[in-house]
Structures are given as structure tokens and as C-alpha cells.
Amino acid sequence: MKPVEIEPKTKAMIIGRSININGLYGLKPYTYKITAGSENGDLVEIPGSTAVELKAKGLGTMKITVQDKMGNTADASIEVKDELKIYAPPLMVQTNGNINITSEGGIPPYTFSATGGTLTVISNVATATGPASAKLKAPNSPTSIPVKVTDSE
């Protein structure tokens, strides 16, 4: 018999969302506990399933432990992150002028896009020196340019 495992073993998720945590192998039934960072989430039983639902309610890292009937355990590390945010102030820019766009939160890497102008991605992940960012050069004629940032989730 294979030893008990947990899935996912590591995961980043967004606050306010849910994921399923599954026990695998070992001897059923399984019990689940948040053994570190319990203020960041709640475990909810899923009727008719050996999995549980993890609801993220606070930022930070949680350790989830699954235990099988024999007392064997496996751990998962779940990081709860803030919602994706984009900072591109809706302001007027001179034709051929530049505006900096930054993003943070969510699950990197990020994808920057703009309908119009020339978009140059500076960094698609936040670093110790600053947030993910791009520079938008406005076109030659006056227009409105929608800017979008998506994360990997």
C-alpha cells in the first residue's frame, strides 16, 4: 500500500476563493486539519467525498495536514494572496507620451495588454525592488486606450 499523500502539495490561491484538498492512498477515512496559519482559511467537508474544501479568508501561508486511518500524515503548503490589482491612472497623456502601469497581487506571472499605443513589459513578476510593470507609449493621435493585466489563475 502506498503511503498517504495530499494534493495539491503546494498551491497559491486568492483570498475569498476556494480549492479542494484531496487525500490520496493510505487507508481511508482521512481527517484534515489546518496545522499552521489557521486564521487564513477554513476547511469544509464535501458530502460524499474524501476531499475537503479550503476557503481562503486571510493573507499568508497555511499548512494543511491529512491523516489516514493508520495515523500516517502528509502536508500541503497553501499561500493565500491578495486579489490582482492594476495601477494605471486614467489620466490624459500627450500624444507620443508615456504612462507607467504596475500590477501586484494575484498569482504571477502577469500578462499586460493594451489596445492601442506601444506596450513594453518591464517585468511580469513583482521583485524585491518593485511591482510588475509595463510602459505604454501613446499613439500619434488622441484616443482612449484600454489596458488589461491578467494573472496565471
Side-chain angles (χ1 to χ4, degrees):
M1 176 185 313
K2 289 179 83 171
V4 67
E5 292 181 16
I6 194 166
E7 191 176 83
K9 290 182 185 1
T10 61
K11 177 83 175 159
M13 65 184 295
I14 303 299
I15 192 167
R17 296 191 188 163
S18 299
I19 62 169
N20 287 352
I21 304 290
N22 300 289
L24 304 168
Y25 312 117
L27 190 58
K28 297 175 188 172
Y30 304 120
T31 57
Y32 298 87
K33 291 182 186 170
I34 301 175
T35 52
S38 62
E39 67 279 4
N40 298 325
D42 291 317
L43 293 174
V44 180
E45 288 187 29
I46 302 171
S49 174
T50 59
V52 292
E53 179 183 20
L54 173 63
K55 295 184 176 186
K57 65 179 186 180
L59 303 176
T61 301
M62 289 179 277
K63 179 179 170 185
I64 313 297
T65 301
V66 61
Q67 182 175 352
D68 73 1
K69 185 176 182 178
M70 300 298 292
N72 299 311
T73 62
D75 296 321
S77 178
I78 310 296
E79 183 180 4
V80 181
K81 297 182 166 237
D82 208 354
E83 289 283 339
L84 177 64
K85 294 181 178 95
I86 181 173
Y87 303 100
L91 50 88
M92 302 292 275
V93 177
Q94 272 188 323
T95 56
N96 290 318
N98 293 307
I99 183 172
N100 289 323
I101 302 159
T102 59
S103 187
E104 61 186 17
I107 311 296
Y110 307 111
T111 302
F112 290 86
S113 61
T115 307
T118 304
L119 187 67
T120 304
V121 176
I122 297 164
S123 171
N124 68 346
V125 295
T127 65
T129 58
S133 61
K135 181 170 64 173
L136 178 67
K137 181 175 177 122
N140 293 334
S141 58
T143 188
S144 177
I145 302 173
V147 176
K148 181 178 177 183
V149 177
T150 53
D151 66 1
S152 64
E153 280 287 302

